[in-house]
Amino acid sequence: MSSSKPVGFVGLGQMGAPMARRLLDWPGGLVVHDARPEAATPLVAAGARAAGSAREVAASAEVISVMVRDDAQVIEVLCGPEGVAGSAAPGTVVAIHSTIAESTATRLARELAPAGIEVVDAPVSGGAIGAHQGSLAVLVGASESAFQRCQEVFGYWSSLAMHAGPPGAGTRAKLARNLLHFVAFTAAAEAQRLAEAAGIDLVELGKVVRHSDAVTGGPGAIMLRPTTAAVAPDDPWFGILSHVRDLGEKDLGLALRLAAELGVDLPLARLALDGFAAGLGVGPGWSTVEGEAP
């Protein structure tokens, strides 16, 4: 896109406001809108132009970011009486950063395509901290041309952009990423119950978890293969993942043994032990009998 044209941002909440703030340096300027006019005040004071509606944003911006709460608000911003579709010129790219249903993203892309409006689903990962730091990851579902037009704009508030595929793919990727995120939170709660029963300081243990995950990469450290298919014995990954399996099955077994001694129920740990080897793509090593060597 031309850097002489303004970029637009609709939705100035906890995530949208810091993302938009980083676009104040865009050469063509920044035009913003929020349902709460006061949300735009700090950005206007810093140099942005406030618009009275999403339709007004689209009257001047070629690339428009949308960060609102849910599917209903996204639909209203794009297709409502004061929505983007009412004034957007052919070639406008609208990037939806909200995490919404994949079906909503693909439907909007299909419905607005005849008007020459390219809808891009581009949910983000990294939270408010990443938004303030400009270090978000953005998972983009878009045509190749739309992705290329968005990249420079996204680079103002992100440090990693993944082109996941056509419209809808960004949302599918984000849902998979968040599945890991929130299952891991549940696992963390389970680990805390075991640690608490064992008399461990939970705050100090949390420091250890954050420290070691920063070094090892946490769960993402095993997400390096392009497939979930079983690993052939002659594949270089087989030895690496077999070693991970042996360590994981051993430690899960020992944790379950300790939990039994302390009377703590660890349902996720049992599921993890049962599915660990298969999930890695290698056959079982350590016995699936809790805490027992083969």
Side-chain angles (χ1 to χ4, degrees):
M1 65 171 293
S2 170
S3 62
S4 64
K5 293 272 191 164
V7 292
F9 211 105
V10 178
L12 304 172
Q14 183 182 28
M15 290 292 292
M19 291 168 68
R21 178 167 289 278
R22 299 191 68 86
L23 286 165
L24 286 166
D25 292 333
W26 181 258
L30 171 67
V31 56
V32 298
H33 171 72
D34 192 278
R36 304 162 297 122
E38 66 275 13
T41 301
L43 290 165
V44 171
R49 177 167 63 86
S53 66
R55 180 174 182 153
E56 188 179 333
V57 172
S60 58
E62 286 187 342
V63 172
I64 303 164
S65 285
V66 177
M67 178 58 97
V68 292
R69 186 177 61 204
D70 54 25
D71 295 58
Q73 289 190 354
V74 167
I75 293 168
E76 182 69 16
V77 166
L78 268 67
C79 302
E82 292 298 318
V84 166
S87 64
T92 299
V93 177
V94 182
I96 303 168
H97 302 305
S98 314
T99 300
I100 58 174
E102 179 270 347
S103 57
T104 300
T106 54
R107 177 171 63 83
L108 289 169
R110 183 173 62 251
E111 289 179 356
L112 296 184
I117 301 170
E118 291 211 62
V119 174
V120 169
D121 59 313
V124 298
S125 182
I129 294 174
H132 282 280
Q133 295 177 341
S135 59
L136 290 170
V138 54
L139 303 92
V140 187
S143 67
E144 182 61 37
S145 62
F147 178 68
Q148 294 297 329
R149 293 183 65 205
C150 287
Q151 272 192 297
E152 187 178 0
V153 177
F154 291 174
Y156 275 67
W157 44 257
S158 73
S159 57
L160 176 64
M162 170 191 177
H163 188 191
T171 300
R172 293 192 290 271
K174 176 64 184 296
L175 294 176
R177 193 272 171 270
N178 276 13
L179 170 69
L180 173 60
H181 190 64
F182 292 113
V183 169
F185 278 14
T186 308
E190 188 166 289
Q192 288 179 100
R193 292 200 301 274
L194 176 63
E196 187 172 46
I200 304 302
D201 185 314
L202 299 186
V203 174
E204 292 302 312
L205 181 61
K207 293 177 183 177
V208 172
V209 171
R210 290 187 292 275
H211 175 85
S212 56
D213 279 2
V215 174
T216 67
I222 68 160
M223 300 177 71
L224 299 171
R225 298 172 62 228
T227 176
T228 61
V231 183
D234 60 350
D235 189 308
W237 280 109
F238 189 84
I240 296 169
L241 294 176
S242 294
H243 177 65
V244 173
R245 172 206 61 200
D246 293 344
L247 290 175
E249 290 188 342
K250 173 180 68 67
D251 289 355
L252 284 167
L254 292 172
L256 284 162
R257 177 188 291 175
L258 176 61
E261 293 171 356
L262 297 173
V264 179
D265 186 29
L266 302 181
L268 275 179
R270 290 197 302 274
L271 286 171
L273 181 58
D274 289 343
F276 194 61
L280 291 173
V282 294
W286 184 263
S287 172
T288 54
V289 177
E290 294 172 8
E292 295 182 5

